[in-house]
Amino acid sequence: MSTPQLDEQIKQQTQICNNLKDEIGRVLVGQDHMVSRLLIGLLTGGHVLLEGLPGLAKTLTIRSLAQAIDTGFSRIQFTPDMLPADVIGTEIFNPKEATYVVRKGPIFSNLVLADEINRAPAKVQAALLEAMQERQGTIGGQTYLLEEPFLVLATMNPIEQEGTYPLPEAQVDRFMLKVIVGYPSKEEERKVVDRMASGQAIPEIRRVATPQDILNARNTVNQIWIDEKVRDYLVDVARATRQPQEYGITDLDGMIETGASPRASISLMKASKAHAFLQGRSYVTPHDVKSVAPEILRHRIILTYEAEAEGKSNDDIIRQILDNVPVP
């Protein structure tokens, strides 16, 4: 495809994404960063993990996004007493016909909100992992494929909260992005209070996009140009989490127990393309890589006790890597 044709496609399809942002903005104040990262997940088919304290509009944002797209949506509230069948589904015995009937669980939808995902036990996490990675679910020995677009948008509370389970590392790695949701600014919080004080009902979300629009945009994102030097750069960023001494970052010696896997490099490339797309560009720059790197890498790095003793966070490590890996 010629560049003018691609530029025209990007112009049309980014307008759809802008419409989604505007529609969500009718019910949500602020949190622009969270919304843009959810769109990156949508454009790449990558699952998104949102971490933040209760009351920061995580659930409202995801529900509003699903409503703005004319697609299937289900919400799973994770609790400590859940069973895998509560997610995947089960077989129900029909005594009249002496047969078993398959009842599919809430995972068989397009946009799946996994609310407070780290409150569920390990067996439930394993069931969810198959759906996230294989895009399928198994009920009674029979495998059923999930329809595209399929995306798990999960919320979790900080691990320090009571009643939470640490997510298995294999499952955490399946999330393309981990977004930290913070408190709104004073001005934004004042707007929220003003809206609630008025007593007016929250506006109903209108459908401004279709699943086919999203799938078409994904095809366009795949065509975004990424130069060889930028590819080398993003691989260097991911490798620096494993071998920081190769890049002269001696301050990180003994700080990282486990670095990001090659899956992180793939995710970094896809997310960088989607970021460039949302900016209306047909090519990726090192700035795109830097912009999405924290969300791609923060949940894939395990720090040593020494790093934790010095008060280092994953974001501190990533910032240091981005500051020191040479930019092409």
Side-chain angles (χ1 to χ4, degrees):
M1 180 178 290
S2 66
T3 300
Q5 286 176 297
L6 181 59
D7 288 343
E8 182 59 31
Q9 274 195 11
I10 291 172
K11 183 179 179 181
Q12 293 174 359
Q13 291 168 349
T14 50
Q15 184 57 49
I16 293 173
C17 293
N18 290 334
N19 291 342
L20 284 171
K21 285 183 182 178
D22 292 342
E23 193 60 27
I24 294 170
R26 294 176 61 234
V27 300
L28 182 74
V29 176
Q31 303 293 13
D32 294 335
H33 182 80
M34 173 170 58
V35 173
S36 70
R37 293 314 184 250
L38 288 174
L39 287 175
I40 287 175
L42 202 59
L43 292 168
T44 57
H47 308 297
V48 182
L49 182 62
L50 303 177
E51 180 179 312
L53 293 166
L56 296 177
K58 302 185 296 297
T59 304
L60 173 65
T61 304
I62 296 172
R63 185 189 293 116
S64 300
L65 176 62
Q67 290 173 344
I69 304 170
D70 188 11
T71 190
F73 170 68
S74 66
R75 178 177 183 266
I76 309 172
Q77 183 65 50
F78 283 73
T79 57
D81 60 348
M82 282 186 76
L83 298 173
D86 296 326
V87 175
I88 300 297
T90 188
E91 289 183 320
I92 305 295
F93 182 68
N94 185 343
K96 185 179 292 186
E97 300 178 6
T99 57
Y100 284 93
V101 178
V102 171
R103 179 172 292 175
K104 293 182 178 179
I107 197 68
F108 288 91
S109 189
N110 298 110
L111 292 186
V112 178
L113 168 56
D115 217 356
E116 297 189 301
I117 188 174
N118 57 334
R119 291 198 183 278
K123 283 187 177 181
V124 176
Q125 304 293 357
L128 183 62
L129 178 60
E130 179 190 12
M132 289 173 61
Q133 181 62 22
E134 308 297 335
R135 299 296 206 272
Q136 65 184 29
T138 303
I139 305 173
Q142 182 70 33
T143 299
Y144 301 89
L145 297 179
L146 297 164
E147 292 183 11
E148 288 290 346
F150 171 71
L151 200 64
V152 174
L153 305 171
T155 69
M156 67 180 287
N157 299 309
I159 294 298
E160 296 77 16
Q161 282 215 320
E162 188 176 349
T164 59
Y165 297 81
L167 294 179
E169 291 168 15
Q171 183 174 355
V172 170
D173 197 41
R174 261 62 175 195
F175 284 100
M176 172 182 273
L177 303 145
K178 180 180 180 182
V179 183
I180 303 298
V181 184
Y183 289 111
S185 67
K186 181 179 178 180
E187 292 74 18
E188 290 169 347
E189 192 165 354
R190 175 60 193 268
K191 286 182 182 178
V192 173
V193 171
D194 289 345
R195 282 191 182 185
M196 294 299 103
S198 68
Q200 295 179 347
I202 296 176
E204 187 174 335
I205 293 290
R206 299 167 300 195
R207 291 172 175 172
V208 296
T210 66
Q212 192 57 50
D213 290 334
I214 301 303
L215 295 177
N216 291 341
R218 284 184 184 180
N219 290 332
T220 302
V221 168
N222 289 334
Q223 298 174 55
I224 298 289
W225 171 253
I226 178 165
D227 189 81
E228 295 289 336
K229 291 181 179 179
V230 180
R231 293 187 197 190
D232 287 339
Y233 173 64
L234 67 85
V235 169
D236 285 338
V237 169
R239 284 184 58 83
T241 66
R242 305 192 287 267
Q243 303 290 339
Q245 60 274 13
E246 282 188 17
Y247 300 89
I249 315 175
T250 55
D251 292 350
L252 297 185
D253 282 348
M255 295 286 182
I256 303 172
E257 184 174 320
T258 307
S261 68
R263 184 183 282 120
S265 302
I266 298 170
S267 296
L268 194 51
M269 181 185 68
K270 290 181 177 180
S272 298
K273 284 185 172 187
H275 189 272
F277 171 86
L278 290 173
Q279 304 302 312
R281 281 186 278 104
S282 59
Y283 57 91
V284 176
T285 67
H287 175 71
D288 294 314
V289 178
K290 282 191 168 188
S291 296
V292 298
E295 283 84 14
I296 297 293
L297 299 175
R298 64 163 55 106
H299 54 300
R300 294 181 161 103
I301 297 174
I302 299 176
L303 303 184
T304 61
Y305 289 117
E306 181 183 345
E308 292 176 1
E310 291 189 16
K312 294 276 189 182
S313 69
N314 290 31
D315 284 3
D316 292 333
I317 301 296
I318 294 166
R319 197 175 301 113
Q320 204 162 344
I321 288 171
L322 293 175
D323 287 344
N324 286 275
V325 173
V327 179

